[in-house]
Amino acid sequence: NVWADTLCLLPHCIDNHLSFSDGVVVVWSETSNKGQKGPQMKDFVYTNTYKDVFFHQLEPISGAAPLMNETRKRNAGIEVARQHGFTHFIIADGDEFYIQKEVEWEKKRFEAKDLNGLVCGLKVYLTPTLRTDDHTLVPFIHKLTPKIKCGEFRHYPFAYDDKKQAHID
């Protein structure tokens, strides 16, 4: 998922994700959840020769809650992945990167235990060398089943704290 504030990172994000996956679905919009206009995708030039990058535009519903619009974008990406025959997916924003070796290790663990999905913690980089852990979990590898969709926190009971607040993106 990408919007104007992370467009400059998109080529790096695509390359990062293609290092451990068979394809990338980029869901983008020209308007933010707050109605701001940003750079258009035509301004984005991706020169990589990979054929397995699929672009899908989905504009937010004006006046809708940002969470609803972000959930719509994620579900649109899942649907595009289904249309292209993928069996698994990772949802990430344009500023989220993974370490290839760690993803490959998690993929083996995922398959060995026959899991439906994984989440992972994240680190927030304040500068290229200064980082901190975050309490939020992000969706990670999931099986692409016919009915799976984003927005169902009940499948992640461990993502709730003792005050019943969800800490999953």
Side-chain angles (χ1 to χ4, degrees):
N1 292 303
V2 65
W3 191 70
D5 61 344
T6 56
L7 195 57
C8 63
L9 296 174
L10 187 55
H12 308 290
C13 184
I14 290 171
D15 287 340
N16 174 252
H17 289 243
L18 284 173
S19 73
F20 54 78
S21 68
D22 295 330
V24 172
V25 176
V26 177
V27 181
W28 61 280
S29 65
E30 293 179 348
T31 307
S32 76
N33 290 324
K34 297 178 181 178
Q36 301 162 308
K37 294 288 184 184
Q40 297 182 353
M41 191 55 78
K42 68 177 177 58
D43 299 327
F44 170 72
V45 177
Y46 184 63
T47 58
N48 203 313
T49 58
Y50 292 107
K51 62 179 179 169
D52 294 323
V53 179
F54 309 96
F55 291 89
H56 181 79
Q57 182 178 6
L58 183 71
E59 295 300 323
I61 297 172
S62 179
L67 178 60
M68 187 194 105
N69 280 321
E70 291 303 307
T71 301
R72 282 180 63 240
K73 283 176 75 175
R74 285 163 171 73
N75 284 324
I78 289 171
E79 186 54 37
V80 172
R82 271 192 196 103
Q83 292 168 2
H84 288 283
F86 291 102
T87 60
H88 294 76
F89 68 93
I90 296 174
I91 290 181
D93 291 335
D95 60 351
E96 294 177 13
F97 295 80
Y98 293 93
I99 298 168
Q100 181 180 2
K101 183 171 32 171
E102 291 178 9
V103 174
E104 296 297 339
W105 184 84
E106 290 293 340
K107 284 167 58 176
K108 288 177 186 168
R109 187 171 73 109
F110 183 89
E111 292 168 4
K113 295 187 180 240
D114 192 33
L115 301 173
N116 288 321
L118 291 173
V119 296
C120 65
L122 59 102
K123 295 184 184 332
V124 176
Y125 282 80
L126 305 169
T127 70
T129 57
L130 178 62
R131 70 178 188 210
T132 184
D133 290 332
D134 189 293
H135 69 281
T136 304
L137 299 171
V138 294
F140 191 42
I141 302 169
H142 283 76
K143 283 184 182 175
L144 187 51
T145 63
K147 293 185 179 182
I148 195 165
K149 64 180 184 175
C150 290
E152 300 285 335
F153 290 137
R154 65 183 171 180
H155 299 295
Y156 301 102
F158 48 83
Y160 290 89
D161 63 18
D162 57 354
K163 296 177 184 166
K164 306 290 185 211
Q165 294 177 334
H167 294 279
I168 189 163
D169 185 4

Coordinates of all heavy atoms in Angstrom, one line a residue, residues 36-85:
Q36 N -6.2 15.0 0.6 CA -5.1 15.6 0.0 C -4.7 15.0 -1.3 O -4.7 13.8 -1.4 CB -3.9 15.6 1.0 CG -4.1 16.3 2.3 CD -3.1 15.8 3.3 OE1 -2.8 14.7 3.5 NE2 -2.5 16.8 4.0
K37 N -4.2 15.8 -2.3 CA -3.7 15.3 -3.5 C -2.2 15.1 -3.4 O -1.6 16.0 -2.9 CB -4.1 16.2 -4.7 CG -5.6 16.3 -5.0 CD -6.1 15.0 -5.6 CE -7.6 15.1 -5.9 NZ -8.1 13.9 -6.5
G38 N -1.7 14.0 -4.0 CA -0.3 13.8 -4.0 C 0.2 13.6 -5.4 O -0.5 13.7 -6.3
P39 N 1.5 13.2 -5.5 CA 2.0 12.9 -6.8 C 1.2 11.7 -7.4 O 0.8 10.8 -6.7 CB 3.5 12.4 -6.5 CG 3.8 12.9 -5.1 CD 2.5 13.0 -4.4
Q40 N 1.1 11.8 -8.7 CA 0.3 10.7 -9.4 C 1.3 9.6 -9.7 O 2.5 9.8 -9.9 CB -0.3 11.3 -10.6 CG -1.3 12.4 -10.3 CD -2.0 12.9 -11.5 OE1 -1.7 12.6 -12.7 NE2 -3.0 13.7 -11.3
M41 N 0.7 8.4 -9.9 CA 1.5 7.3 -10.2 C 2.3 7.5 -11.5 O 3.3 6.9 -11.7 CB 0.7 6.0 -10.2 CG 1.5 4.7 -10.3 SD 2.7 4.5 -9.0 CE 1.7 4.0 -7.6
K42 N 1.7 8.3 -12.4 CA 2.5 8.5 -13.7 C 3.8 9.2 -13.4 O 4.7 9.1 -14.2 CB 1.6 9.4 -14.6 CG 1.4 10.8 -14.2 CD 0.6 11.5 -15.3 CE 0.2 12.9 -14.8 NZ 1.3 13.8 -14.5
D43 N 3.9 9.9 -12.2 CA 5.2 10.5 -11.9 C 6.2 9.5 -11.4 O 7.4 9.8 -11.2 CB 5.0 11.6 -10.8 CG 4.1 12.7 -11.3 OD1 4.1 13.0 -12.5 OD2 3.3 13.2 -10.5
F44 N 5.7 8.3 -11.1 CA 6.6 7.2 -10.5 C 7.1 6.4 -11.7 O 6.4 6.0 -12.6 CB 5.7 6.3 -9.7 CG 6.4 5.0 -9.3 CD1 7.5 5.0 -8.3 CD2 6.1 3.8 -9.8 CE1 8.1 3.9 -8.0 CE2 6.7 2.6 -9.5 CZ 7.7 2.7 -8.5
V45 N 8.4 6.3 -11.7 CA 9.1 5.5 -12.8 C 9.8 4.3 -12.1 O 10.6 4.5 -11.2 CB 10.1 6.3 -13.5 CG1 10.8 5.5 -14.6 CG2 9.5 7.5 -14.1
Y46 N 9.3 3.1 -12.5 CA 9.9 1.9 -12.0 C 10.6 1.2 -13.1 O 10.0 0.7 -14.0 CB 8.9 1.0 -11.3 CG 9.4 -0.2 -10.7 CD1 10.3 -0.1 -9.6 CD2 9.1 -1.5 -11.2 CE1 10.9 -1.3 -9.0 CE2 9.7 -2.6 -10.6 CZ 10.5 -2.5 -9.5 OH 11.1 -3.6 -8.9
T47 N 11.9 1.2 -13.1 CA 12.7 0.7 -14.2 C 13.1 -0.8 -14.1 O 13.7 -1.3 -15.0 CB 14.0 1.5 -14.4 OG1 14.7 1.5 -13.2 CG2 13.6 3.0 -14.8
N48 N 12.7 -1.4 -13.0 CA 13.1 -2.8 -12.8 C 12.4 -3.7 -13.9 O 11.3 -3.4 -14.4 CB 12.6 -3.3 -11.5 CG 13.4 -4.5 -11.0 OD1 13.6 -5.4 -11.8 ND2 13.9 -4.4 -9.8
T49 N 13.1 -4.7 -14.3 CA 12.6 -5.6 -15.4 C 11.7 -6.7 -14.9 O 11.3 -7.5 -15.7 CB 13.8 -6.1 -16.2 OG1 14.6 -6.9 -15.3 CG2 14.6 -5.1 -16.9
Y50 N 11.4 -6.8 -13.6 CA 10.6 -7.9 -13.1 C 9.2 -7.7 -13.7 O 8.6 -6.7 -13.8 CB 10.4 -7.8 -11.6 CG 11.7 -8.2 -10.9 CD1 12.5 -7.2 -10.3 CD2 12.2 -9.5 -10.9 CE1 13.6 -7.5 -9.6 CE2 13.4 -9.8 -10.2 CZ 14.1 -8.8 -9.6 OH 15.2 -9.1 -9.0
K51 N 8.6 -8.9 -14.2 CA 7.3 -8.8 -14.7 C 6.2 -9.0 -13.7 O 5.0 -8.8 -14.0 CB 7.2 -9.9 -15.8 CG 7.3 -11.3 -15.2 CD 7.2 -12.4 -16.3 CE 7.4 -13.7 -15.6 NZ 7.1 -14.9 -16.2
D52 N 6.5 -9.5 -12.5 CA 5.6 -9.8 -11.5 C 5.3 -8.7 -10.5 O 5.3 -8.9 -9.3 CB 6.0 -11.1 -10.8 CG 6.0 -12.3 -11.7 OD1 5.1 -12.4 -12.5 OD2 6.9 -13.1 -11.5
V53 N 5.1 -7.5 -11.1 CA 4.6 -6.3 -10.3 C 3.3 -5.8 -10.9 O 3.2 -5.5 -12.0 CB 5.7 -5.2 -10.3 CG1 5.2 -4.0 -9.4 CG2 7.0 -5.7 -9.7
F54 N 2.3 -5.8 -10.0 CA 0.9 -5.5 -10.5 C 0.5 -4.2 -9.8 O 0.5 -4.2 -8.5 CB 0.0 -6.7 -10.2 CG 0.5 -8.0 -10.7 CD1 1.2 -8.8 -9.9 CD2 0.3 -8.3 -12.0 CE1 1.7 -10.1 -10.3 CE2 0.8 -9.6 -12.5 CZ 1.5 -10.4 -11.6
F55 N 0.1 -3.2 -10.5 CA -0.4 -2.0 -10.0 C -1.9 -1.9 -10.0 O -2.6 -2.2 -11.0 CB 0.2 -0.8 -10.8 CG 1.7 -0.7 -10.6 CD1 2.5 -1.3 -11.5 CD2 2.2 0.1 -9.6 CE1 3.9 -1.2 -11.3 CE2 3.6 0.2 -9.4 CZ 4.4 -0.4 -10.3
H56 N -2.5 -1.5 -8.9 CA -3.9 -1.4 -8.7 C -4.3 0.0 -8.0 O -3.8 0.2 -6.9 CB -4.5 -2.5 -7.9 CG -6.0 -2.5 -7.8 ND1 -6.8 -2.9 -8.8 CD2 -6.7 -2.1 -6.7 CE1 -8.1 -2.8 -8.4 NE2 -8.0 -2.3 -7.1
Q57 N -5.1 0.8 -8.7 CA -5.5 2.1 -8.1 C -6.8 1.9 -7.4 O -7.7 1.3 -7.9 CB -5.6 3.1 -9.2 CG -6.0 4.5 -8.6 CD -6.1 5.6 -9.7 OE1 -6.0 5.3 -10.9 NE2 -6.3 6.8 -9.3
L58 N -6.9 2.4 -6.2 CA -8.1 2.4 -5.4 C -8.1 3.7 -4.6 O -7.3 3.9 -3.6 CB -8.2 1.2 -4.4 CG -9.4 1.1 -3.6 CD1 -10.6 0.7 -4.5 CD2 -9.3 0.1 -2.5
E59 N -9.0 4.6 -4.9 CA -9.2 5.9 -4.2 C -10.0 5.7 -3.0 O -10.9 4.9 -2.9 CB -9.8 6.9 -5.2 CG -9.0 7.3 -6.4 CD -7.6 7.8 -6.0 OE1 -7.5 8.6 -5.0 OE2 -6.6 7.5 -6.7
P60 N -9.7 6.4 -1.9 CA -10.4 6.3 -0.7 C -11.9 6.9 -0.8 O -12.1 7.7 -1.7 CB -9.6 7.2 0.3 CG -8.8 8.1 -0.5 CD -8.6 7.4 -1.8
I61 N -12.7 6.4 0.0 CA -14.1 6.9 0.0 C -14.1 8.2 0.9 O -13.7 8.2 2.0 CB -15.1 5.9 0.7 CG1 -15.1 4.7 -0.2 CG2 -16.5 6.5 0.9 CD1 -15.9 3.5 0.4
S62 N -14.4 9.3 0.3 CA -14.4 10.6 0.9 C -15.3 10.6 2.2 O -16.4 10.2 2.1 CB -14.9 11.7 0.0 OG -14.8 13.0 0.6
G63 N -14.7 11.1 3.3 CA -15.4 11.2 4.5 C -15.4 9.9 5.3 O -15.9 9.9 6.5
A64 N -15.0 8.8 4.8 CA -14.9 7.5 5.5 C -13.8 7.5 6.5 O -12.8 8.2 6.3 CB -14.8 6.3 4.5
A65 N -13.9 6.7 7.5 CA -12.8 6.6 8.5 C -11.5 6.1 7.8 O -11.6 5.2 7.0 CB -13.2 5.6 9.6
P66 N -10.4 6.6 8.1 CA -9.1 6.1 7.5 C -9.0 4.6 7.7 O -8.5 4.0 6.7 CB -8.0 6.9 8.3 CG -8.7 8.2 8.7 CD -10.1 7.8 9.0
L67 N -9.3 4.0 8.8 CA -9.2 2.6 9.0 C -10.0 1.8 8.0 O -9.5 0.8 7.4 CB -9.7 2.2 10.4 CG -9.6 0.7 10.7 CD1 -8.2 0.1 10.6 CD2 -10.2 0.5 12.1
M68 N -11.2 2.3 7.7 CA -12.0 1.7 6.6 C -11.4 1.7 5.3 O -11.3 0.7 4.6 CB -13.4 2.3 6.6 CG -14.3 1.5 5.7 SD -15.8 2.4 5.3 CE -15.4 2.9 3.6
N69 N -10.8 2.9 4.9 CA -10.2 3.0 3.6 C -8.9 2.2 3.5 O -8.6 1.6 2.5 CB -9.8 4.5 3.3 CG -11.0 5.3 2.8 OD1 -11.8 4.8 2.1 ND2 -11.2 6.5 3.3
E70 N -8.1 2.1 4.6 CA -6.9 1.3 4.6 C -7.3 -0.2 4.5 O -6.6 -1.0 3.8 CB -6.1 1.6 5.8 CG -5.4 3.0 5.8 CD -4.6 3.2 4.6 OE1 -3.7 2.4 4.3 OE2 -4.8 4.2 3.9
T71 N -8.3 -0.6 5.2 CA -8.8 -2.0 5.1 C -9.2 -2.3 3.7 O -8.9 -3.4 3.2 CB -9.9 -2.2 6.1 OG1 -9.4 -2.0 7.4 CG2 -10.4 -3.7 6.1
R72 N -9.9 -1.4 3.0 CA -10.4 -1.6 1.6 C -9.1 -1.8 0.7 O -9.2 -2.6 -0.2 CB -11.1 -0.3 1.1 CG -12.6 -0.2 1.6 CD -13.3 1.0 1.0 NE -13.3 1.0 -0.4 CZ -12.8 1.9 -1.2 NH1 -12.1 2.9 -0.8 NH2 -12.9 1.8 -2.5
K73 N -8.1 -0.9 0.9 CA -6.9 -1.1 0.1 C -6.2 -2.4 0.3 O -5.8 -3.1 -0.7 CB -5.9 0.0 0.5 CG -6.2 1.4 -0.1 CD -5.2 2.4 0.3 CE -3.9 2.3 -0.4 NZ -3.0 3.4 0.0
R74 N -6.1 -2.9 1.5 CA -5.5 -4.2 1.8 C -6.4 -5.3 1.2 O -5.8 -6.2 0.6 CB -5.3 -4.4 3.3 CG -4.2 -3.5 3.8 CD -4.2 -3.4 5.3 NE -3.0 -2.8 5.9 CZ -2.7 -1.5 5.8 NH1 -3.5 -0.7 5.1 NH2 -1.6 -1.0 6.3
N75 N -7.7 -5.2 1.3 CA -8.5 -6.3 0.7 C -8.5 -6.2 -0.8 O -8.6 -7.3 -1.5 CB -10.0 -6.1 1.3 CG -10.1 -6.7 2.7 OD1 -9.4 -7.7 3.0 ND2 -10.9 -6.0 3.5
A76 N -8.3 -5.0 -1.4 CA -8.2 -4.9 -2.9 C -6.9 -5.6 -3.3 O -6.9 -6.3 -4.3 CB -8.2 -3.5 -3.3
G77 N -5.8 -5.5 -2.5 CA -4.6 -6.1 -2.8 C -4.7 -7.6 -2.8 O -4.1 -8.4 -3.6
I78 N -5.4 -8.1 -1.8 CA -5.6 -9.6 -1.6 C -6.4 -10.1 -2.8 O -6.1 -11.1 -3.4 CB -6.4 -9.9 -0.3 CG1 -5.5 -9.6 0.9 CG2 -6.9 -11.3 -0.3 CD1 -6.2 -9.7 2.2
E79 N -7.4 -9.3 -3.3 CA -8.2 -9.8 -4.4 C -7.3 -9.8 -5.7 O -7.4 -10.7 -6.5 CB -9.4 -8.9 -4.6 CG -10.3 -9.3 -5.7 CD -10.8 -10.8 -5.5 OE1 -11.0 -11.2 -4.4 OE2 -10.9 -11.5 -6.6
V80 N -6.4 -8.8 -5.9 CA -5.5 -8.8 -7.1 C -4.6 -10.0 -7.0 O -4.4 -10.7 -8.0 CB -4.7 -7.5 -7.2 CG1 -3.7 -7.6 -8.2 CG2 -5.7 -6.3 -7.4
A81 N -4.1 -10.3 -5.8 CA -3.3 -11.5 -5.6 C -4.0 -12.8 -6.0 O -3.5 -13.7 -6.6 CB -2.7 -11.6 -4.2
R82 N -5.3 -12.9 -5.6 CA -6.1 -14.1 -5.9 C -6.2 -14.2 -7.5 O -6.1 -15.2 -8.0 CB -7.5 -13.9 -5.4 CG -7.7 -14.4 -4.0 CD -9.2 -14.5 -3.7 NE -9.3 -14.7 -2.2 CZ -9.6 -13.7 -1.4 NH1 -9.9 -12.5 -1.8 NH2 -9.7 -13.9 -0.1
Q83 N -6.5 -13.0 -8.1 CA -6.7 -13.0 -9.6 C -5.4 -13.5 -10.3 O -5.5 -14.0 -11.4 CB -7.1 -11.6 -10.0 CG -8.4 -11.2 -9.6 CD -8.7 -9.7 -9.8 OE1 -7.8 -9.0 -10.4 NE2 -9.9 -9.3 -9.4
H84 N -4.2 -13.3 -9.7 CA -3.0 -13.7 -10.3 C -2.5 -15.1 -9.9 O -1.4 -15.5 -10.2 CB -1.9 -12.6 -10.1 CG -2.2 -11.4 -10.9 ND1 -2.0 -11.3 -12.3 CD2 -2.8 -10.2 -10.6 CE1 -2.3 -10.1 -12.8 NE2 -2.8 -9.5 -11.8
G85 N -3.3 -15.8 -9.1 CA -3.0 -17.1 -8.7 C -2.0 -17.3 -7.6 O -1.4 -18.4 -7.4

